[in-house]
Amino acid sequence: MSPEDMEKIIRPDIKDMPPYIPIEPTDVLSRRIDMPEESVIKLDGNENPYGCSPKVKQALAGYSYYHLYPDPEQRELRKALEKYTGINVKNILAGSGSDELIDLVLRLFIQPGDKVVNCPPTFGMYPFSTDVCGGKVVSIPRKPDFSVDTTAAMKAIDTGAKVIFIASPNNPSGNITPEPDILELLKGRAAVVIDEAYYEFSGATVAPLVLKYPNLIVLRTFSKWAGLAGLRVGYGIFPHNLMDYLMKIKQPYNVNAAAQVAALESLRDLDYLRGTIKAIVDERERLMSKLSEMDWLKVYPSQANFILCRVLNGQARAIYEGLRQKGIFVRYFNTPELKDCLRISVGKPEHTDKLVATLNEMR
Ligand SMILES: Cc1ncc(COP(=O)(O)O)c(C=O)c1O
């Protein structure tokens, strides 16, 4: 078979689909701008600037079973998550990041051509994973204040969409979707996936409603509040009758041993992690007030660990590039739903100070 013939048997829809654009790690960024890694200020990934709990590092160093496969049923971790969430272990499943669970939910419901509602601007993995599964993305843009257009979303559900994804707080806008809007969406005949990746920074959750609504799924992650983005571990809270199917279709050892050890140890060190969450939330408020003083920015309220701003004179790209040259990395958006916007992750106080000083110099 020739390489050309081989190409011919690749799914045509995979050839046509747009890629997901991930963020780069610090060492790659530092080489790009020719600056030492320690000088890079990374505010582009909504990662936790304080890192993981020190006890996680000790637990990982002391673990003796890396040569054995991890527990495919994640029993210890799920039991600890039961205590953390107050939801029965029978409704909880962990994944290799919530990214994996987004994919798993779609694999469970979506056959080629089935519809999935996406509410942009939002997290790019929803349309990406829908495309990979051969589903059809139905785009229902958010309103100018970034709230979900529930009327339009309900219409899409009523015309046969099987799944809707809502990030709450939403990435990149930072706003939560109020419970009454979620209850409205739950009236339809679609799986309503509420992605609470930033729950620990907002305190708002609909997790307890999973026990009442057979079409509600809540996803969470250890990447943000627990500082474990590099280890890839998240979990979902699912209606009971989906659990056997999800267990059946997931990769047997989907959460690796290190990730299970680290997540468990994080749940044992909540006092420490609550301290860093508080530091981030306090810093978000300080960053918010500093950015709001700049009359050339429109700053959107946030309940997450990042802040979205629109650059009012249309110079967002230049600001993004200028920050980058100084070693400060933020996320730049210029899409139909998000013109001239920057999303800035909340860092440590010294990161805020450097960012604000650099922004003021550039004006
Ligand atoms: C809304 C949302 N969901 C999920 C994720 C991915 O989380 P994980 O690292 O657990 O895959 C992100 C990451 O940025 C996110 O913003």
Side-chain angles (χ1 to χ4, degrees):
M1 204 184 199
S2 68
E4 292 74 26
D5 287 340
M6 197 64 185
E7 275 255 332
K8 280 188 199 139
I9 64 171
I10 294 175
R11 280 168 45 190
D13 57 326
I14 295 279
K15 288 188 180 173
D16 293 343
M17 68 173 267
Y20 179 80
I21 316 247
I23 48 159
E24 306 279 16
T26 318
D27 58 327
V28 175
L29 298 178
S30 78
R31 277 198 297 278
R32 261 194 206 146
I33 54 164
D34 201 15
M35 200 181 251
E37 217 177 313
E38 0 13 298
S39 312
V40 167
I41 298 182
K42 194 172 183 310
L43 306 177
D44 62 350
N46 303 338
E47 292 141 327
N48 190 321
Y50 296 97
C52 64
S53 144
K55 290 194 180 153
V56 164
K57 293 183 192 167
Q58 282 167 20
L60 287 171
Y63 184 71
S64 319
Y65 301 103
Y66 290 118
H67 59 298
L68 301 179
Y69 287 101
D71 178 4
E73 291 188 32
Q74 318 146 350
R75 276 163 270 232
E76 224 189 325
L77 174 56
R78 286 169 56 227
K79 199 71 201 156
L81 283 167
E82 174 179 86
K83 191 161 166 237
Y84 179 65
T85 60
I87 307 283
N88 196 292
V89 65
K90 290 186 183 140
N91 297 83
I92 298 174
L93 180 70
S96 172
S98 41
D99 282 351
E100 189 204 9
L101 296 168
I102 293 166
D103 180 65
L104 203 62
V105 166
L106 289 165
R107 282 164 184 251
L108 184 62
F109 295 114
I110 298 305
Q111 299 192 83
D114 283 346
K115 290 187 227 155
V116 176
V117 179
N118 186 44
C119 302
T122 193
F123 185 46
M125 285 301 284
Y126 312 140
F128 170 81
S129 295
T130 301
D131 286 348
V132 174
C133 288
K136 188 173 167 351
V137 178
V138 179
S139 203
I140 306 290
R142 287 169 177 257
K143 296 179 188 172
D145 65 355
F146 299 119
S147 60
V148 173
D149 185 342
T150 45
T151 312
M154 276 310 275
K155 272 194 195 139
I157 291 172
D158 289 344
T159 54
K162 282 183 153 181
V163 180
I164 176 168
F165 284 97
I166 308 278
S168 180
N170 186 42
N171 173 9
S173 55
N175 58 313
I176 61 158
T177 295
E179 194 171 305
D181 286 358
I182 295 170
L183 291 175
E184 187 58 31
L185 296 171
L186 286 167
K187 289 182 188 157
R189 297 172 68 83
V192 177
V193 184
I194 305 298
D195 181 345
E196 295 184 353
Y198 302 96
Y199 155 67
E200 280 77 5
F201 305 106
S202 74
T205 182
V206 289
L209 296 182
V210 173
L211 304 180
K212 201 165 150 206
Y213 291 90
N215 56 338
L216 175 61
I217 292 169
V218 172
L219 302 182
R220 303 253 187 95
T221 179
F222 283 80
S223 294
K224 316 294 178 180
W225 68 282
L228 296 184
L231 279 175
R232 315 301 303 125
V233 53
Y235 62 98
I237 300 169
F238 298 95
H240 186 218
N241 62 333
L242 297 187
M243 287 292 293
D244 284 349
Y245 299 111
L246 291 163
M247 276 287 183
K248 181 156 81 175
I249 67 170
K250 80 173 180 66
Q251 299 259 345
Y253 311 107
N254 62 328
V255 184
N256 71 62
Q260 293 198 35
V261 168
L264 257 171
E265 201 58 32
S266 302
L267 294 171
R268 292 187 187 123
D269 200 13
L270 289 177
D271 282 350
Y272 174 87
L273 290 171
R274 286 194 176 121
T276 51
I277 292 166
K278 181 168 184 322
I280 292 168
V281 169
D282 289 350
E283 193 56 23
R284 175 185 74 202
E285 298 311 309
R286 193 172 78 95
L287 175 62
M288 178 77 72
S289 78
K290 296 267 178 205
L291 294 173
S292 302
E293 284 167 14
M294 301 178 194
D295 59 6
W296 48 280
L297 287 180
K298 175 170 171 48
V299 185
Y300 293 93
S302 170
Q303 303 214 44
N305 65 341
F306 53 83
I307 295 175
L308 183 74
C309 337
R310 179 162 281 143
V311 181
L312 296 175
N313 59 8
Q315 296 290 307
R317 170 120 222 153
I319 300 286
Y320 161 78
E321 293 290 353
L323 288 172
R324 204 180 128 92
Q325 288 317 312
K326 301 275 183 181
I328 303 172
F329 290 83
V330 300
R331 193 94 190 229
Y332 164 64
F333 295 97
N334 199 23
T335 60
E337 296 91 18
L338 220 47
K339 284 254 168 285
D340 284 315
C341 283
L342 301 175
R343 190 198 66 197
I344 305 171
S345 305
V346 178
K348 292 181 175 173
E350 58 267 35
H351 301 149
T352 302
D353 293 343
K354 179 87 194 291
L355 170 84
V356 168
T358 311
L359 284 173
N360 282 330
E361 268 166 33
M362 278 169 28
R363 295 299 304 169

